Amino acid sequence: MIDAEASPPAETSAQGLTSAEVAERAARGAVNNVPARSSRSAREIVRANVFTRFNAIIGTLFVVILVFGSPQDGLFGLVIVANTAIGIIQELRAKKTLDTLAVVGEAKPRVRRDGRTTEVTPRELVLDDVCDIGAGEQIVVDGVVVEADGLELDESLLTGESDPVHKRPGDPVMSGSFVAAGNGAFRATKVGRDAYAARLAEEASRFTLTRSELRAGLDVILKYVTWLMVPVGVLLLISQLRSNKDDFSGAMTGMVAGVVTMVPEGLMLLTSVAFAVGVVRLGRKQCLVQELPAIEGLARVDVVCLDKTGTLTEGGMDVGEVRTLASGLPVKEALGALGTSDPRPNASLQAIIDAHPAPEGDGWRVTGVEPFSSARKWSGATFAGEGSWLLGAPDVLLPQGDPVLREVDELGAQGLRVLLLAKADGPLGDRAGETATPAALVVLEQRLRPDAADTLRYFASQDVAAKVISGDNALSVGAVAGKLGLAGAEHAVDARDLPEDRAELAQALEGNTVFGRVTPQQKRAMVAGLQSRDHTVAMTGDGVNDVLALKDADIGVAMGSGSAASRSVAQIVLLDDKFATLPSVVAEGRRVIGNIERVANLFLSKTVYALLLSLLTGVAGLPFPFLPRHLTLIGTLTIGTPAFFLALGPNTERARPGFVPRVLRFAVPAGVVAAGATFLTYSLARLNHGSSLAQDRTGATITLFLVAMWILAIVARPLAWWKVVLIAAMGGGYLLAMFVPFLADFFALYPDNLPNWGIAVGIGVAGMAILEFGWHVSGWLQRRHPGTAHHPGAPAGTAKGA
């Protein structure tokens, strides 16, 4: 364990290390060598894509074909190689994007070395480094406090306790906690994997593609498919041996053709590719996805909770005016002095500092500080010779009914932020505001984000409810939201009047849009209340007061310039602070999940018709109606190639629970129609004694291709120009394979028997008509009963996104 064996005295340790001491510790390995966040190694990516259950199955069947069949029938093996390569390349691209953005977005501790303070990366920290800390910053290693100026740490991420803990010199601090208020410094006593939260952080930061409802559903489907493959393969082999008594190689080829088609080999690949491409696309917009399943969660979001400051408004503010409330008090000097009391001022205090410089003289020397707290809503300082002064929320510092509050409400209704400067009659403390004398109102003008109105309109158009949850005055928050055109902004709610009961709170949240004077604990309770109503909640924020809600929300979105604590708990970080990126983030999630459901319909329809054809052929004792190369051709043109494009196309439909039942409700009927039509064509062709087995198989291929193409056309709806071109290109590819002589010989297609032609096309068109009728019936049922599960390409706008 890397630990400090003998702690140097606090007075000397607070000075920090020298370069020589840092080098000595680095040489003996006493460094914070935690792994970089977010990414697994290239070796793990290759292993995960190559050594899969289905690659093993396909590889075994490929070897069987090479031994017993024709090389042309082993084309499916090459398809797997290509798909695996695509998966590896896409995930490596995602890894590169994640690694780059993670370095940009990570917190940089400030350490004291050689008598000055400098920023380093977390991995450059060494044992005994003295780290400066301030409000919103996260503790990255374990240590002992050496300086404390009103220092309060929030350890809720470690202990679950939401109340801040006061820290004094000599008190321990744990990695994973963050500064709720005040400033200070601590000496690192445990670094690297010995730090309290290091193992938890390392595990939580792993790049993962598996922890999601979507992939869990796919795993269930694939598990059952695997179980069915063995008995069906045995049945098919027995039947093929009976019908090919003198042709063992032909029997093995027929068995492989049936089994290999049952494998939805590209489905898991395209899921991984869609996630990885989503990461790359969002990365180009300076959006860091810290947990890949967050992309799926984004698709399910139906409520987004927005903090006003830093989200709807820009971080900076300007002092509009200072309204004096009591004569004879040094208002301007007090404001300037309060600015000097906080080494890391927030946006409000920075605006005051810019407008009022620090006063001269010893009378305003700081002797005590009470740092700003989101729960307390004010900060204060005591000055030698001038007493104690407070700066904070007027409706918290003033008693209810005070005439000054009417003036505050009038200003707040104009979208202005108002702070009260007050002279405390006694010492600083939690009850100092109860006897303070109002001195002045500081009116701050907030800068609206130019893109905020468009972003709110986007959410409204996508049926995503926006809730503005802020610690500021409710009237001020409502005025800002009203300027941005948010519906319901005129009925702003003061969170101090909200009920504590979760059910009643959830009811209030459903009926209102804007909430002010919300405490950090209330933000957390609001998220839980919305989730109790089966909402999928995204929470945005940038400050310490947002951390608990960000952590509990289904999707936490932090601003890149926000506190290190907020960035560390969020699944998504907007590195460039652009609120307008949020629509792209939500749209990317919907695109990924909606398109994976589309392609799942294709792959599982193929699994169903392959399973049924194998069973029908086995029971009837007929030679299997296809060679492996036939099904490779049909699968490539109706599933593999179009699925790749459909998986990456636009799609704005919000994802809903019930992925597996919904896919099966489409895939099973579609697969039954395809198998029934194909087997009927094949059976009738076998009764035509003037045709050969190769010609009969060609007829079955024609019917299956026609029905499979119509399944593709339904899944691709609503049709856009590029989808029409895609479907037409796939049809053209099949015609080339059938009528170009060397391709027809390669794929063993012989369309020269007119009776078979007529049977194949006629039954294929009938199958297409049945599918179309079923699609319209499904759409009618969904319009009649809106709760009915969505079906692919449903009319009436239920599948948006062309």
Side-chain angles (χ1 to χ4, degrees):
M1 175 180 292
I2 299 172
D3 202 344
E5 296 180 0
S7 300
E11 62 269 22
T12 58
S13 65
Q15 303 303 313
L17 301 176
T18 65
S19 296
E21 291 171 328
V22 171
E24 183 272 328
R25 285 162 173 76
R28 61 184 170 93
V31 296
N32 191 44
N33 56 343
V34 292
R37 183 181 176 92
S38 82
S39 184
R40 58 179 177 178
S41 68
R43 177 181 297 178
E44 290 172 325
I45 290 174
V46 172
R47 185 187 302 119
N49 281 274
V50 172
F51 299 104
T52 67
R53 178 195 320 168
F54 288 106
N55 276 5
I57 295 172
I58 296 295
T60 302
L61 296 175
F62 178 68
V63 172
V64 171
I65 284 296
L66 291 182
V67 174
F68 295 103
S70 171
Q72 292 97 312
D73 289 324
L75 286 176
F76 61 84
L78 300 180
V79 171
I80 293 300
V81 172
N83 285 348
T84 302
I86 291 171
I88 292 172
I89 291 170
Q90 291 289 3
E91 285 202 41
L92 287 175
R93 287 181 65 205
K95 168 185 166 59
K96 181 179 179 181
T97 300
L98 278 172
D99 289 351
T100 301
L101 293 179
V103 171
V104 173
E106 72 178 357
K108 292 182 172 58
R110 290 170 291 110
V111 298
R112 300 176 184 178
R113 292 178 180 175
D114 294 323
R116 62 178 183 273
T117 302
T118 183
E119 284 189 349
V120 298
T121 68
R123 288 167 295 284
E124 291 174 327
L125 282 174
V126 300
L127 194 65
D128 294 326
D129 255 330
V130 175
C131 304
D132 285 351
I133 48 176
E137 296 181 352
Q138 191 162 36
I139 310 299
V140 295
V141 294
D142 295 354
V144 174
V145 175
V146 294
E147 291 179 3
D149 186 3
L151 184 63
E152 298 177 18
L153 293 191
D154 189 320
E155 299 177 345
S156 59
L157 300 182
L158 303 175
T159 65
E161 295 292 335
S162 58
D163 293 333
V165 179
H166 290 270
K167 294 290 183 178
R168 296 175 177 81
D171 289 345
V173 296
M174 293 186 294
S175 54
S177 58
F178 59 90
V179 182
N183 306 287
F186 72 94
R187 181 176 59 85
T189 58
K190 292 182 181 179
V191 296
R193 288 175 171 82
D194 292 321
Y196 183 83
R199 286 187 295 275
L200 297 177
E202 180 180 352
E203 185 64 28
S205 303
R206 290 189 187 278
F207 180 101
T208 174
L209 292 171
T210 56
R211 297 175 186 175
S212 71
E213 178 185 338
L214 175 70
R215 291 185 66 87
L218 292 177
D219 285 339
V220 169
I221 293 172
L222 297 178
K223 179 176 67 176
Y224 287 114
V225 169
T226 304
W227 288 350
L228 287 171
M229 285 171 59
V230 176
V232 171
V234 172
L235 172 64
L236 193 56
L237 179 59
I238 293 173
S239 70
Q240 295 306 291
L241 288 173
R242 288 178 178 174
S243 60
N244 297 279
K245 295 181 180 179
D246 299 325
D247 186 6
F248 181 77
S249 296
M252 293 296 292
T253 299
M255 182 274 293
V256 169
V259 172
V260 77
T261 312
M262 291 174 57
V263 181
E265 69 278 350
L267 183 54
M268 297 300 283
L269 165 85
L270 283 177
T271 303
S272 298
V273 168
F275 274 126
V277 170
V279 169
V280 174
R281 285 181 172 179
L282 291 177
R284 291 172 182 161
K285 298 178 182 292
Q286 289 299 294
C287 176
L288 169 61
V289 180
Q290 303 200 109
E291 298 176 17
L292 276 188
I295 292 182
E296 176 182 344
L298 289 169
R300 309 185 191 283
V301 165
D302 60 352
V303 176
V304 57
C305 296
L306 308 167
D307 185 30
K308 175 181 69 68
T309 306
T311 304
L312 299 182
T313 61
E314 295 180 343
M317 299 183 189
D318 301 305
V319 175
E321 61 174 315
V322 177
R323 298 188 179 184
T324 303
L325 300 176
S327 59
L329 292 177
V331 169
K332 293 183 179 180
E333 291 81 359
L335 289 173
L338 283 171
T340 65
S341 68
D342 192 338
R344 298 178 188 85
N346 58 24
S348 301
L349 191 56
Q350 186 60 54
I352 293 173
I353 293 171
D354 295 339
H356 298 281
E360 299 179 356
D362 294 335
W364 292 97
R365 180 172 52 84
V366 178
T367 60
V369 174
E370 193 73 35
F372 178 79
S373 165
S374 298
R376 191 168 48 235
K377 303 293 184 188
W378 57 264
S379 62
T382 301
F383 305 98
E386 297 292 344
S388 299
W389 293 78
L390 310 178
L391 183 68
D395 47 351
V396 172
L397 291 171
L398 294 174
Q400 192 171 8
D402 191 293
V404 175
L405 291 178
R406 288 197 297 270
E407 190 175 352
V408 172
D409 289 343
E410 291 174 1
L411 292 168
Q414 302 172 38
L416 300 170
R417 188 175 191 181
V418 184
L419 298 177
L420 176 70
L421 175 68
K423 178 77 163 59
D425 294 336
L428 292 176
D430 289 339
R431 305 179 68 87
E434 296 179 2
T435 58
T437 302
L441 291 178
V442 182
V443 183
L444 299 171
E445 297 177 352
Q446 304 173 94
R447 307 167 190 167
L448 296 179
R449 286 189 178 273
D451 47 28
D454 290 339
T455 304
L456 291 177
R457 280 194 292 271
Y458 167 83
F459 286 134
S461 70
Q462 296 299 313
D463 298 325
V464 177
K467 306 287 183 183
V468 180
I469 299 176
S470 174
D472 286 352
N473 178 277
L475 288 176
S476 175
V477 179
V480 169
K483 289 180 180 179
L484 296 173
L486 181 63
E490 65 276 10
H491 303 297
V493 177
D494 192 314
R496 291 172 294 187
D497 300 327
L498 289 174
E500 294 185 4
D501 179 75
R502 176 174 293 186
E504 295 178 5
L505 177 61
Q507 182 64 37
L509 290 167
E510 292 281 11
N512 296 280
T513 302
V514 177
F515 303 87
R517 291 294 176 232
V518 185
T519 65
Q521 288 72 27
Q522 280 183 311
K523 287 188 178 184
R524 189 180 202 179
M526 287 177 164
V527 169
L530 289 167
Q531 290 170 331
S532 71
R533 290 293 189 97
D534 295 326
H535 290 297
T536 302
V537 182
M539 176 74 197
T540 70
D542 63 350
V544 180
N545 58 326
D546 301 316
V547 169
L548 297 176
L550 286 171
K551 178 176 176 287
D552 287 356
D554 297 286
I555 299 295
V557 182
M559 298 295 173
S561 64
S563 67
S566 65
R567 295 198 307 271
S568 70
V569 300
Q571 288 94 351
I572 292 172
V573 180
L574 304 180
L575 295 173
D576 57 3
D577 290 348
K578 288 186 178 178
F579 180 48
T581 305
L582 273 180
S584 299
V585 173
V586 173
E588 190 61 34
R590 293 185 173 189
R591 183 195 65 77
V592 169
I593 305 307
N595 288 339
I596 289 174
E597 184 164 328
R598 284 185 187 274
V599 300
N601 285 311
L602 289 176
F603 280 101
L604 295 180
S605 296
K606 182 190 77 164
T607 297
V608 171
Y609 70 63
L611 172 64
L612 291 178
L613 282 172
S614 298
L615 290 173
L616 290 170
T617 303
V619 172
L622 295 174
F624 195 72
F626 303 105
L627 294 173
R629 72 191 83 168
H630 294 151
L631 294 173
T632 298
L633 175 65
I634 294 174
T636 299
L637 295 177
T638 64
I639 299 172
T641 302
F644 186 82
F645 288 98
L646 291 176
L648 302 181
N651 192 322
T652 61
E653 184 189 8
R654 187 172 71 222
R656 290 165 293 169
F659 166 75
V660 173
R662 195 162 52 246
V663 169
L664 292 179
R665 271 192 283 268
F666 176 85
V668 171
V672 168
V673 172
T678 302
F679 189 75
L680 180 59
T681 295
Y682 183 60
S683 299
L684 293 177
R686 293 299 292 161
L687 296 176
N688 177 13
H689 298 294
S691 65
S692 64
L693 177 59
Q695 292 171 329
D696 297 342
R697 282 174 165 165
T698 300
T701 303
I702 293 171
T703 298
L704 181 57
F705 179 79
L706 290 173
V707 177
M709 280 292 286
W710 208 253
I711 293 174
L712 170 62
I714 290 175
V715 168
R717 296 175 188 178
L719 295 176
W721 68 267
W722 65 271
K723 294 179 183 177
V724 174
V725 170
L726 176 64
I727 294 171
M730 298 301 100
Y734 183 76
L735 291 176
L736 288 176
M738 183 166 291
F739 293 110
V740 174
F742 80 91
L743 290 177
D745 288 337
F746 183 84
F747 287 106
L749 296 174
Y750 305 105
D752 48 3
N753 187 290
L754 291 180
N756 281 4
W757 253 98
I759 293 171
V761 174
I763 295 177
V765 171
M768 294 161 66
I770 293 172
L771 287 173
E772 186 69 17
F773 176 75
W775 176 73
H776 282 288
V777 169
S778 177
W780 177 80
L781 288 173
Q782 187 181 25
R783 292 191 297 273
R784 187 81 176 269
H785 306 285
T788 305
H790 163 72
H791 69 294
T798 55
K800 302 174 185 176

